Amino acid sequence: MSVTLTEAAARHVKRYIAKRGKGVGVRLGVKTTGCSGLAYKLEYADEVAPEDVIFEGHEVKILIDPKSLPYLDGTELDFVREGLNEGFKFRNPREKDRCGCGESFRV
């Protein structure tokens, strides 16, 4: 099992953690919501929880709770700019369907 992030995502995370002045990486998970059933959760983590599964790429830690890992296995986290918008993008090979608004997904 693995979760990765692109160089662009790592650069953004490192820059933001430096600006915050604290943090060990990003916490990635899923929550039950929306019309398709699941939505991604992403937050900056200040500490590692004992149950966290840790992946690392480009010197950035990705922390995942064990319950979310089956839904996220193989996911690549990217940071993209599209026109005037920028943000994280999830490339999840397990994703089978996404709702029309793009808020939630199904595996």
Side-chain angles (χ1 to χ4, degrees):
M1 295 193 145
S2 73
V3 175
T4 60
L5 76 165
T6 64
E7 197 171 325
R11 202 171 32 250
H12 182 78
V13 169
K14 287 191 266 191
R15 196 175 316 135
Y16 191 78
I17 287 174
K19 189 188 295 186
R20 286 179 76 219
K22 63 179 179 177
V24 296
V26 290
R27 185 175 309 283
L28 182 57
V30 295
K31 62 182 176 179
T32 305
T33 188
C35 36
S36 290
L38 298 169
Y40 295 107
K41 292 189 306 188
L42 178 71
E43 62 188 13
Y44 291 92
D46 292 331
E47 57 188 42
V48 177
E51 68 275 5
D52 283 336
V53 178
I54 305 169
F55 298 98
E56 191 163 345
H58 304 286
E59 301 172 2
V60 171
K61 284 186 174 69
I62 307 165
L63 312 173
I64 301 177
D65 70 274
K67 291 179 184 174
S68 294
L69 188 55
Y71 302 105
L72 297 171
D73 184 30
T75 297
E76 178 184 63
L77 181 63
D78 195 4
F79 189 80
V80 296
R81 286 194 171 92
E82 295 171 345
L84 297 175
N85 299 319
E86 65 179 18
F88 287 102
K89 185 171 192 158
F90 301 88
R91 293 192 185 102
N92 185 346
R94 301 181 59 77
E95 196 174 293
K96 301 290 184 230
D97 194 23
R98 190 173 269 267
C99 73
C101 65
E103 184 72 22
S104 62
F105 69 99
R106 176 173 70 81
V107 293

XYZ file of all heavy atoms in Angstrom:
836
model
N 0.843 -1.182 0.000
C 0.000 0.000 0.000
C 0.883 1.239 0.000
O 1.910 1.262 0.661
C -0.905 0.019 1.227
C -1.913 -1.079 1.270
S -3.154 -0.748 2.517
C -4.558 -1.432 1.708
N 0.439 2.250 -0.743
C 1.217 3.490 -0.752
C 0.345 4.676 -1.140
O -0.654 4.545 -1.820
C 2.398 3.385 -1.709
O 1.947 3.436 -3.045
N 0.759 5.820 -0.662
C 0.186 7.104 -1.030
C 1.371 8.014 -1.302
O 2.332 8.033 -0.530
C -0.703 7.670 0.090
C -1.201 9.053 -0.255
C -1.873 6.732 0.368
N 1.319 8.754 -2.411
C 2.462 9.587 -2.799
C 2.014 11.027 -3.013
O 0.822 11.321 -3.055
C 3.090 9.061 -4.106
O 2.103 9.092 -5.146
C 3.626 7.645 -3.942
N 2.992 11.905 -3.157
C 2.686 13.274 -3.533
C 3.700 13.749 -4.551
O 4.832 13.258 -4.590
C 2.617 14.204 -2.324
C 3.849 14.693 -1.632
C 3.478 15.869 -0.734
C 4.472 13.626 -0.776
N 3.274 14.669 -5.389
C 4.146 15.191 -6.432
C 5.097 16.215 -5.827
O 4.906 16.687 -4.706
C 3.331 15.873 -7.550
O 2.664 17.015 -7.003
C 2.333 14.909 -8.180
N 6.095 16.569 -6.614
C 7.044 17.582 -6.181
C 6.343 18.922 -5.939
O 6.660 19.642 -5.000
C 8.148 17.730 -7.230
C 9.367 18.439 -6.709
C 10.529 18.393 -7.694
O 10.691 17.373 -8.393
O 11.256 19.397 -7.754
N 5.361 19.256 -6.793
C 4.616 20.508 -6.632
C 3.843 20.515 -5.313
O 3.814 21.527 -4.601
C 3.660 20.716 -7.809
N 3.209 19.396 -4.972
C 2.469 19.300 -3.709
C 3.416 19.406 -2.523
O 3.138 20.109 -1.549
C 1.688 17.990 -3.651
N 4.558 18.728 -2.605
C 5.540 18.774 -1.517
C 6.064 20.193 -1.328
O 6.200 20.667 -0.188
C 6.693 17.814 -1.808
N 6.329 20.875 -2.408
C 6.824 22.252 -2.343
C 5.803 23.155 -1.640
O 6.144 23.955 -0.772
C 7.115 22.746 -3.764
C 8.068 23.883 -3.856
C 8.521 24.217 -5.279
N 7.557 23.968 -6.352
C 7.684 23.013 -7.266
N 8.730 22.208 -7.269
N 6.780 22.856 -8.206
N 4.535 22.999 -1.990
C 3.480 23.798 -1.376
C 3.355 23.495 0.122
O 3.235 24.410 0.937
C 2.147 23.562 -2.080
C 1.039 24.385 -1.535
N 0.891 25.719 -1.841
C 0.039 24.087 -0.667
C -0.161 26.204 -1.197
N -0.691 25.223 -0.484
N 3.364 22.208 0.479
C 3.252 21.808 1.888
C 4.417 22.365 2.693
O 4.225 22.943 3.772
C 3.172 20.266 2.027
C 3.318 19.840 3.479
C 1.864 19.750 1.438
N 5.641 22.201 2.186
C 6.820 22.706 2.910
C 6.752 24.218 3.098
O 7.063 24.727 4.175
C 8.108 22.316 2.182
C 8.433 20.833 2.322
C 9.820 20.527 1.833
C 9.800 20.103 0.402
N 11.075 19.556 -0.077
N 6.323 24.934 2.069
C 6.219 26.390 2.141
C 5.187 26.796 3.199
O 5.421 27.695 3.995
C 5.836 26.943 0.767
C 6.064 28.429 0.614
C 5.797 28.939 -0.805
N 6.358 28.057 -1.828
C 5.711 27.670 -2.922
N 4.496 28.074 -3.168
N 6.289 26.873 -3.799
N 4.047 26.103 3.212
C 2.989 26.443 4.158
C 3.393 26.109 5.596
O 3.134 26.893 6.508
C 1.689 25.729 3.790
C 0.513 26.245 4.578
C -0.094 27.448 4.243
C 0.029 25.552 5.674
C -1.162 27.946 4.966
C -1.036 26.034 6.409
C -1.622 27.226 6.052
O -2.667 27.712 6.786
N 4.038 24.974 5.801
C 4.496 24.606 7.148
C 5.528 25.612 7.642
O 5.506 26.016 8.809
C 5.043 23.159 7.170
C 3.877 22.169 7.062
C 5.863 22.895 8.427
C 4.290 20.719 6.940
N 6.415 26.044 6.768
C 7.415 27.054 7.149
C 6.727 28.365 7.541
O 7.116 29.005 8.528
C 8.395 27.285 6.006
N 5.690 28.745 6.804
C 4.953 29.978 7.097
C 4.220 29.857 8.443
O 4.171 30.808 9.210
C 3.951 30.264 5.986
C 3.295 31.633 6.099
C 2.162 31.841 5.111
C 2.624 31.835 3.687
N 1.534 32.190 2.745
N 3.657 28.673 8.720
C 2.958 28.422 9.986
C 3.930 28.394 11.160
O 3.543 28.670 12.279
C 2.250 27.064 9.955
C 1.018 26.988 9.137
C 0.420 25.583 9.164
N -0.267 25.342 10.418
C -0.245 24.200 11.079
N 0.438 23.183 10.627
N -0.905 24.065 12.198
N 5.159 27.952 10.891
C 6.148 27.850 11.954
C 6.080 26.546 12.728
O 6.795 26.363 13.714
N 5.214 25.632 12.310
C 5.122 24.317 12.960
C 4.431 23.349 12.023
O 3.759 23.751 11.073
C 4.356 24.409 14.284
C 2.910 24.838 14.122
C 2.203 24.898 15.454
C 0.756 25.369 15.239
N 0.021 25.375 16.482
N 4.596 22.062 12.298
C 3.939 21.025 11.499
C 4.890 19.910 11.148
O 6.089 20.129 10.992
N 4.335 18.707 11.034
C 5.143 17.535 10.684
C 4.807 17.000 9.296
O 5.489 16.137 8.785
C 4.989 16.400 11.725
C 5.513 16.832 13.075
C 3.553 15.914 11.822
N 3.713 17.507 8.701
C 3.307 17.031 7.377
C 1.835 17.270 7.153
O 1.246 18.170 7.754
N 1.227 16.446 6.292
C -0.211 16.560 6.021
C -0.913 15.283 6.444
O -0.368 14.193 6.333
C -0.520 16.848 4.532
C -0.106 18.237 4.150
C 0.092 15.834 3.610
N -2.130 15.447 6.932
C -2.977 14.318 7.303
C -4.045 14.180 6.217
O -4.762 15.132 5.922
C -3.614 14.565 8.665
C -4.408 13.399 9.191
C -4.906 13.653 10.605
N -3.868 14.086 11.511
C -2.957 13.299 12.072
N -2.962 12.001 11.792
N -2.057 13.774 12.899
N -4.102 13.015 5.638
C -5.027 12.729 4.548
C -5.976 11.636 5.003
O -5.559 10.667 5.635
C -4.228 12.281 3.321
C -4.943 11.956 2.038
C -5.762 13.131 1.558
C -3.950 11.541 0.975
N -7.263 11.799 4.702
C -8.248 10.792 5.082
C -9.495 10.931 4.233
O -9.555 11.741 3.312
N -10.495 10.120 4.568
C -11.796 10.209 3.917
C -12.865 10.305 4.993
O -12.681 9.846 6.112
C -12.091 9.003 2.989
C -11.134 8.962 1.826
C -12.067 7.700 3.737
N -13.975 10.948 4.626
C -15.125 11.014 5.526
C -16.370 10.675 4.728
O -16.411 10.835 3.506
C -15.237 12.394 6.169
C -15.449 13.519 5.182
C -15.492 14.863 5.886
C -15.616 15.970 4.829
N -15.674 17.283 5.441
N -17.399 10.181 5.411
C -18.650 9.842 4.771
C -19.471 11.111 4.606
O -19.775 11.781 5.587
C -19.434 8.821 5.616
O -18.594 7.690 5.842
C -20.691 8.371 4.913
N -19.807 11.438 3.348
C -20.563 12.653 3.067
C -20.948 12.703 1.599
O -20.477 11.902 0.801
C -19.739 13.915 3.434
O -20.580 15.062 3.330
C -18.554 14.094 2.535
N -21.764 13.666 1.242
C -22.066 13.939 -0.163
C -22.946 12.912 -0.833
O -23.351 11.924 -0.243
N -23.206 13.136 -2.109
C -24.114 12.263 -2.856
C -23.456 10.956 -3.299
O -24.142 9.982 -3.554
C -24.726 13.006 -4.040
S -23.671 14.177 -4.858
N -22.131 10.924 -3.388
C -21.469 9.679 -3.810
C -20.946 8.860 -2.632
O -20.509 7.737 -2.809
C -20.312 9.987 -4.758
O -20.811 10.448 -5.986
N -20.941 9.433 -1.435
C -20.604 8.636 -0.256
C -19.355 9.018 0.504
O -19.324 8.978 1.724
N -18.270 9.387 -0.177
C -17.007 9.685 0.498
C -16.444 11.016 0.005
O -16.638 11.381 -1.142
C -15.969 8.590 0.229
C -16.290 7.187 0.721
C -15.299 6.188 0.137
C -16.268 7.128 2.230
N -15.736 11.699 0.888
C -15.050 12.934 0.508
C -13.659 12.916 1.127
O -13.438 12.317 2.178
C -15.824 14.159 0.988
N -12.718 13.551 0.453
C -11.349 13.627 0.953
C -11.250 14.648 2.081
O -11.923 15.678 2.063
C -10.393 14.041 -0.172
C -10.294 13.025 -1.277
C -10.885 13.262 -2.515
C -9.621 11.831 -1.086
C -10.796 12.336 -3.536
C -9.535 10.898 -2.092
C -10.124 11.149 -3.316
O -10.043 10.220 -4.313
N -10.409 14.343 3.062
C -10.067 15.277 4.137
C -8.569 15.541 4.023
O -7.789 14.608 3.846
C -10.291 14.669 5.526
C -11.675 14.406 5.923
C -11.790 14.015 7.397
C -10.900 12.855 7.793
N -11.138 12.357 9.141
N -8.181 16.778 4.137
C -6.769 17.141 4.092
C -6.542 18.261 5.089
O -7.248 19.262 5.069
C -6.387 17.606 2.683
C -4.950 18.053 2.491
C -4.002 16.861 2.552
C -4.787 18.759 1.162
N -5.570 18.060 5.978
C -5.227 19.098 6.950
C -3.753 19.003 7.287
O -3.132 17.951 7.104
C -6.083 18.969 8.210
C -5.899 17.656 8.946
C -6.890 17.453 10.085
O -7.882 18.202 10.165
O -6.663 16.553 10.887
N -3.220 20.093 7.752
C -1.819 20.090 8.184
C -1.747 19.465 9.563
O -2.591 19.745 10.414
C -1.247 21.506 8.152
C -1.103 21.997 6.734
C -2.115 22.710 6.116
C 0.025 21.691 5.989
C -2.010 23.127 4.800
C 0.148 22.098 4.675
C -0.875 22.817 4.086
O -0.765 23.199 2.785
N -0.763 18.608 9.769
C -0.634 17.889 11.034
C 0.521 18.454 11.852
O 1.611 18.676 11.325
C -0.393 16.405 10.757
N 0.249 18.678 13.133
C 1.284 19.178 14.029
C 1.977 18.061 14.792
O 3.041 18.268 15.355
C 0.688 20.195 15.008
C 0.249 21.462 14.294
O 0.846 21.804 13.256
O -0.697 22.107 14.772
N 1.354 16.888 14.836
C 1.983 15.746 15.494
C 1.511 14.448 14.864
O 0.462 14.406 14.223
C 1.697 15.760 16.994
C 0.229 15.772 17.336
C -0.008 15.993 18.829
O 0.675 16.832 19.429
O -0.891 15.307 19.369
N 2.286 13.409 15.061
C 1.965 12.085 14.541
C 1.191 11.333 15.615
O 1.630 11.257 16.758
C 3.255 11.309 14.178
C 2.920 9.906 13.715
C 4.052 12.053 13.118
N 0.010 10.812 15.258
C -0.778 9.993 16.181
C -0.223 8.566 16.164
O 0.309 8.118 15.147
C -2.241 10.005 15.770
N -0.330 7.859 17.289
C 0.225 6.496 17.357
C -0.318 5.553 16.283
O 0.382 4.668 15.823
C -0.171 6.006 18.756
C -0.547 7.220 19.525
C -0.944 8.272 18.548
N -1.579 5.748 15.875
C -2.185 4.844 14.889
C -1.927 5.248 13.449
O -2.273 4.514 12.523
C -3.701 4.731 15.130
C -4.489 5.990 14.854
C -4.531 6.980 16.024
O -3.872 6.767 17.049
O -5.228 7.997 15.887
N -1.326 6.412 13.215
C -1.088 6.888 11.853
C -0.198 5.951 11.048
O 0.786 5.426 11.554
C -0.413 8.267 11.865
C -1.369 9.388 12.187
O -2.586 9.231 11.975
O -0.893 10.444 12.647
N -0.572 5.758 9.780
C 0.294 5.084 8.812
C 1.035 6.214 8.107
O 0.412 7.169 7.647
C -0.525 4.245 7.809
C 0.389 3.590 6.786
C -1.365 3.209 8.539
N 2.367 6.118 8.038
C 3.178 7.227 7.524
C 3.826 6.857 6.202
O 4.478 5.826 6.084
C 4.267 7.623 8.546
C 3.634 7.952 9.888
C 5.098 8.790 8.033
C 4.622 8.092 11.021
N 3.630 7.736 5.220
C 4.334 7.655 3.950
C 5.136 8.940 3.827
O 4.798 9.959 4.430
C 3.350 7.544 2.779
C 2.500 6.304 2.834
C 1.220 6.351 3.351
C 2.989 5.099 2.376
C 0.423 5.217 3.419
C 2.212 3.947 2.430
C 0.927 4.012 2.958
N 6.206 8.896 3.059
C 7.017 10.097 2.905
C 7.463 10.226 1.459
O 7.816 9.245 0.814
C 8.230 10.052 3.830
C 8.952 11.374 3.911
C 9.900 11.478 5.103
O 9.799 10.662 6.024
O 10.738 12.380 5.073
N 7.422 11.456 0.977
C 7.875 11.734 -0.377
C 8.344 13.165 -0.484
O 7.712 14.069 0.073
N 9.464 13.374 -1.134
C 10.035 14.719 -1.308
C 10.178 15.430 0.038
O 9.854 16.613 0.162
C 9.204 15.558 -2.278
C 9.010 14.933 -3.619
N 10.021 14.863 -4.555
C 7.936 14.318 -4.176
C 9.569 14.253 -5.634
N 8.313 13.900 -5.423
N 10.578 14.668 1.062
C 10.827 15.190 2.420
C 9.561 15.692 3.116
O 9.625 16.535 4.004
C 11.881 16.294 2.382
C 13.210 15.827 1.812
C 14.187 16.977 1.598
O 13.860 18.137 1.926
O 15.275 16.693 1.086
N 8.394 15.180 2.720
C 7.137 15.541 3.369
C 6.452 14.266 3.849
O 6.339 13.296 3.097
C 6.200 16.299 2.394
C 4.816 16.483 2.987
C 6.796 17.639 2.023
N 5.981 14.284 5.101
C 5.250 13.141 5.657
C 3.767 13.254 5.303
O 3.167 14.309 5.411
C 5.405 13.104 7.173
C 6.743 12.612 7.648
C 6.733 12.485 9.165
C 7.995 11.854 9.679
N 9.170 12.665 9.544
N 3.190 12.111 4.903
C 1.759 11.988 4.658
C 1.238 11.030 5.723
O 1.651 9.872 5.767
C 1.457 11.419 3.263
C 2.175 12.224 2.182
C -0.029 11.368 3.007
C 2.215 11.524 0.845
N 0.361 11.508 6.583
C -0.171 10.718 7.691
C -1.591 10.288 7.350
O -2.416 11.115 6.963
C -0.175 11.547 8.975
C 1.115 12.300 9.289
C 0.929 13.210 10.482
C 2.247 11.338 9.516
N -1.865 8.990 7.501
C -3.179 8.460 7.145
C -3.681 7.567 8.260
O -2.945 6.709 8.761
C -3.107 7.665 5.829
C -2.606 8.589 4.720
C -4.457 7.056 5.475
C -2.418 7.934 3.398
N -4.955 7.766 8.643
C -5.528 6.870 9.650
C -5.812 5.522 8.989
O -6.140 5.461 7.803
C -6.785 7.481 10.268
C -7.947 7.528 9.312
O -8.048 8.508 8.554
O -8.740 6.572 9.314
N -5.658 4.435 9.742
C -5.797 3.092 9.154
C -7.146 2.827 8.491
O -7.219 2.073 7.524
C -5.597 2.157 10.343
C -4.905 2.963 11.373
C -5.285 4.387 11.149
N -8.238 3.453 8.970
C -9.559 3.225 8.381
C -9.677 3.840 6.983
O -10.426 3.352 6.153
C -10.649 3.795 9.290
C -10.801 3.017 10.577
C -11.874 3.627 11.452
C -11.939 2.881 12.769
N -12.851 3.509 13.716
N -8.943 4.909 6.720
C -8.999 5.564 5.416
C -8.082 4.910 4.386
O -8.300 5.053 3.181
C -8.591 7.043 5.545
O -9.518 7.758 6.310
N -7.063 4.203 4.845
C -6.046 3.671 3.935
C -6.599 2.801 2.804
O -6.188 2.970 1.656
C -4.957 2.933 4.720
C -3.740 2.505 3.918
C -3.097 3.682 3.194
C -2.728 1.826 4.832
N -7.557 1.897 3.053
C -8.068 1.090 1.927
C -8.686 1.925 0.801
O -8.655 1.526 -0.352
C -9.124 0.190 2.573
C -8.753 0.140 4.012
C -8.136 1.468 4.326
N -9.246 3.082 1.132
C -9.854 3.953 0.123
C -8.816 4.809 -0.598
O -9.082 5.323 -1.679
C -10.885 4.882 0.774
C -11.971 4.142 1.495
C -11.988 4.075 2.879
C -12.981 3.492 0.793
C -12.983 3.381 3.549
C -13.984 2.797 1.451
C -13.976 2.746 2.835
O -14.956 2.054 3.493
N -7.644 4.986 0.014
C -6.628 5.894 -0.514
C -5.429 5.193 -1.132
O -4.553 5.848 -1.699
C -6.134 6.824 0.609
C -7.191 7.745 1.203
C -6.641 8.450 2.431
C -7.665 8.745 0.176
N -5.359 3.889 -1.036
C -4.208 3.150 -1.554
C -3.973 3.476 -3.027
O -4.884 3.403 -3.849
C -4.429 1.648 -1.384
C -3.234 0.841 -1.812
O -2.093 1.350 -1.694
O -3.415 -0.296 -2.271
N -2.772 3.895 -3.343
C -2.407 4.222 -4.718
C -2.641 5.682 -5.091
O -2.307 6.104 -6.196
N -3.199 6.470 -4.176
C -3.514 7.871 -4.464
C -2.250 8.713 -4.567
O -1.305 8.531 -3.807
C -4.431 8.456 -3.366
O -5.662 7.732 -3.372
C -4.706 9.930 -3.577
N -2.265 9.634 -5.525
C -1.201 10.633 -5.649
C -1.820 11.995 -5.368
O -2.840 12.357 -5.941
C -0.608 10.630 -7.054
C 0.476 11.684 -7.228
C 0.988 11.751 -8.647
O 0.176 12.082 -9.553
O 2.179 11.477 -8.851
N -1.196 12.734 -4.466
C -1.632 14.084 -4.127
C -0.805 15.071 -4.935
O 0.414 15.010 -4.933
C -1.441 14.323 -2.627
C -1.860 15.683 -2.074
C -3.359 15.897 -2.259
C -1.486 15.776 -0.600
N -1.487 15.955 -5.651
C -0.810 16.947 -6.486
C -1.299 18.331 -6.078
O -2.346 18.475 -5.447
C -1.117 16.683 -7.962
C -0.180 17.413 -8.917
O 0.777 18.070 -8.452
O -0.415 17.337 -10.134
N -0.539 19.349 -6.434
C -0.969 20.731 -6.242
C -0.938 21.388 -7.603
O 0.100 21.430 -8.259
C -0.038 21.470 -5.267
C -0.558 22.823 -4.882
C -1.543 22.950 -3.923
C -0.081 23.963 -5.499
C -2.045 24.194 -3.566
C -0.566 25.213 -5.158
C -1.554 25.330 -4.185
N -2.104 21.856 -8.047
C -2.214 22.375 -9.417
C -2.790 23.784 -9.437
O -3.535 24.183 -8.546
C -3.095 21.457 -10.296
C -2.469 20.091 -10.467
C -4.489 21.321 -9.736
N -2.416 24.508 -10.493
C -2.994 25.825 -10.785
C -3.762 25.682 -12.087
O -3.215 25.251 -13.094
C -1.890 26.857 -10.945
C -1.261 27.235 -9.653
C -0.419 28.504 -9.793
N -0.005 28.970 -8.484
C 1.142 28.630 -7.905
N 1.992 27.845 -8.531
N 1.437 29.091 -6.709
N -5.029 26.052 -12.057
C -5.872 26.014 -13.254
C -6.529 27.381 -13.387
O -7.467 27.694 -12.656
C -6.919 24.907 -13.130
C -6.309 23.522 -13.094
C -7.315 22.424 -12.765
O -8.418 22.728 -12.288
O -6.968 21.257 -12.990
N -5.999 28.195 -14.280
C -6.496 29.564 -14.419
C -6.168 30.359 -13.169
O -5.023 30.411 -12.735
N -7.188 30.940 -12.563
C -6.989 31.722 -11.343
C -7.078 30.864 -10.082
O -6.821 31.348 -8.987
C -8.036 32.845 -11.259
C -7.975 33.883 -12.375
C -9.128 34.858 -12.248
C -6.643 34.620 -12.367
N -7.462 29.604 -10.236
C -7.628 28.705 -9.089
C -6.394 27.850 -8.869
O -5.706 27.479 -9.813
C -8.836 27.791 -9.305
C -10.120 28.563 -9.443
O -10.352 29.530 -8.730
N -10.962 28.147 -10.374
N -6.152 27.531 -7.616
C -5.094 26.591 -7.280
C -5.552 25.764 -6.097
O -6.376 26.202 -5.297
C -3.785 27.317 -6.956
C -3.830 28.189 -5.733
C -2.504 28.873 -5.440
O -1.646 28.960 -6.330
O -2.334 29.311 -4.299
N -5.034 24.540 -6.022
C -5.406 23.683 -4.906
C -4.880 22.275 -5.086
O -4.263 21.939 -6.101
N -5.137 21.476 -4.074
C -4.716 20.083 -4.111
C -5.665 19.283 -4.988
O -6.873 19.519 -5.018
C -4.693 19.493 -2.698
C -3.556 19.994 -1.869
C -3.761 20.965 -0.902
C -2.271 19.514 -2.066
C -2.719 21.430 -0.136
C -1.212 19.972 -1.306
C -1.435 20.945 -0.336
N -5.086 18.318 -5.700
C -5.856 17.424 -6.567
C -5.500 15.994 -6.184
O -4.318 15.666 -6.028
C -5.512 17.699 -8.022
C -6.341 16.916 -8.990
C -6.099 17.387 -10.405
C -7.132 16.800 -11.318
N -7.283 17.564 -12.526
N -6.511 15.160 -6.044
C -6.321 13.760 -5.673
C -6.442 12.897 -6.919
O -7.468 12.943 -7.599
C -7.374 13.331 -4.654
C -7.352 14.138 -3.393
C -8.089 15.305 -3.279
C -6.569 13.743 -2.325
C -8.071 16.055 -2.114
C -6.537 14.486 -1.159
C -7.288 15.640 -1.058
N -5.415 12.119 -7.199
C -5.470 11.148 -8.309
C -5.541 9.768 -7.663
O -4.518 9.225 -7.234
C -4.240 11.277 -9.193
C -4.210 12.589 -9.941
C -3.155 12.609 -11.037
N -3.102 13.923 -11.626
C -2.163 14.824 -11.354
N -1.187 14.536 -10.528
N -2.195 16.012 -11.929
N -6.766 9.244 -7.586
C -7.019 7.998 -6.873
C -7.472 6.925 -7.860
O -8.574 7.001 -8.401
C -8.090 8.241 -5.803
C -8.333 7.042 -4.929
O -7.924 5.933 -5.234
N -9.033 7.261 -3.829
N -6.644 5.898 -8.075
C -7.021 4.838 -9.026
C -8.201 3.993 -8.547
O -8.834 3.314 -9.337
C -5.748 3.989 -9.137
C -5.030 4.216 -7.853
C -5.338 5.633 -7.460
N -8.527 4.074 -7.259
C -9.640 3.299 -6.704
C -10.982 4.019 -6.897
O -12.036 3.423 -6.708
C -9.399 3.009 -5.229
C -8.105 2.225 -5.008
C -7.860 1.905 -3.565
N -8.916 1.126 -2.971
C -9.118 -0.175 -3.133
N -8.314 -0.859 -3.919
N -10.097 -0.792 -2.529
N -10.929 5.283 -7.281
C -12.144 6.079 -7.461
C -12.908 5.577 -8.682
O -12.400 5.585 -9.790
C -11.734 7.543 -7.644
C -12.842 8.527 -7.469
C -12.337 9.954 -7.527
O -11.587 10.375 -6.624
O -12.686 10.635 -8.510
N -14.159 5.161 -8.468
C -14.979 4.613 -9.555
C -15.950 5.636 -10.107
O -16.344 5.580 -11.271
C -15.778 3.407 -9.063
C -14.919 2.279 -8.525
C -14.164 1.586 -9.630
C -13.385 0.405 -9.079
N -12.020 0.366 -9.449
N -16.388 6.568 -9.262
C -17.400 7.521 -9.668
C -17.253 8.772 -8.817
O -16.771 8.712 -7.691
C -18.795 6.900 -9.458
C -19.894 7.660 -10.148
O -19.603 8.380 -11.124
O -21.058 7.521 -9.726
N -17.661 9.913 -9.371
C -17.585 11.185 -8.655
C -18.915 11.899 -8.871
O -19.491 11.827 -9.947
C -16.429 12.004 -9.240
C -16.086 13.224 -8.458
C -14.833 13.850 -9.037
N -13.643 13.346 -8.381
C -13.085 13.952 -7.352
N -13.573 15.056 -6.887
N -11.996 13.442 -6.802
N -19.398 12.574 -7.848
C -20.667 13.275 -8.005
C -20.503 14.470 -8.949
O -19.376 14.913 -9.217
C -21.226 13.718 -6.653
S -20.353 15.087 -5.903
N -21.585 14.998 -9.434
C -21.556 16.086 -10.408
C -20.847 17.332 -9.925
O -20.181 18.026 -10.691
N -20.954 17.630 -8.632
C -20.309 18.842 -8.116
C -18.831 18.620 -7.806
O -18.101 19.568 -7.536
C -21.046 19.335 -6.860
S -20.958 18.214 -5.458
N -18.389 17.353 -7.839
C -16.975 17.054 -7.578
C -16.616 16.998 -6.121
O -15.461 16.834 -5.755
N -17.602 17.096 -5.240
C -17.357 17.128 -3.798
C -17.086 15.735 -3.218
O -16.307 15.583 -2.301
C -18.579 17.749 -3.103
C -18.425 17.935 -1.617
C -17.466 19.048 -1.247
O -17.222 19.935 -2.057
O -16.943 18.991 -0.109
N -17.767 14.717 -3.741
C -17.615 13.385 -3.165
C -17.343 12.353 -4.246
O -17.494 12.596 -5.436
C -18.859 13.019 -2.342
O -19.998 12.995 -3.168
N -16.930 11.156 -3.794
C -16.578 10.085 -4.721
C -16.999 8.730 -4.151
O -17.386 8.613 -2.995
C -15.072 10.105 -5.021
C -14.206 9.709 -3.856
C -13.701 8.416 -3.752
C -13.890 10.615 -2.856
C -12.903 8.044 -2.680
C -13.093 10.263 -1.778
C -12.599 8.973 -1.695
N -16.869 7.702 -4.995
C -17.211 6.332 -4.610
C -16.110 5.408 -5.102
O -15.533 5.636 -6.163
C -18.563 6.006 -5.266
C -19.080 4.634 -5.098
C -20.490 4.543 -5.660
N -20.564 4.634 -7.106
C -20.334 3.629 -7.940
N -19.976 2.459 -7.478
N -20.447 3.797 -9.238
N -15.812 4.375 -4.323
C -14.816 3.382 -4.741
C -15.477 2.057 -5.020
O -16.577 1.808 -4.590
C -13.682 3.192 -3.707
C -12.844 4.422 -3.619
C -14.208 2.786 -2.362
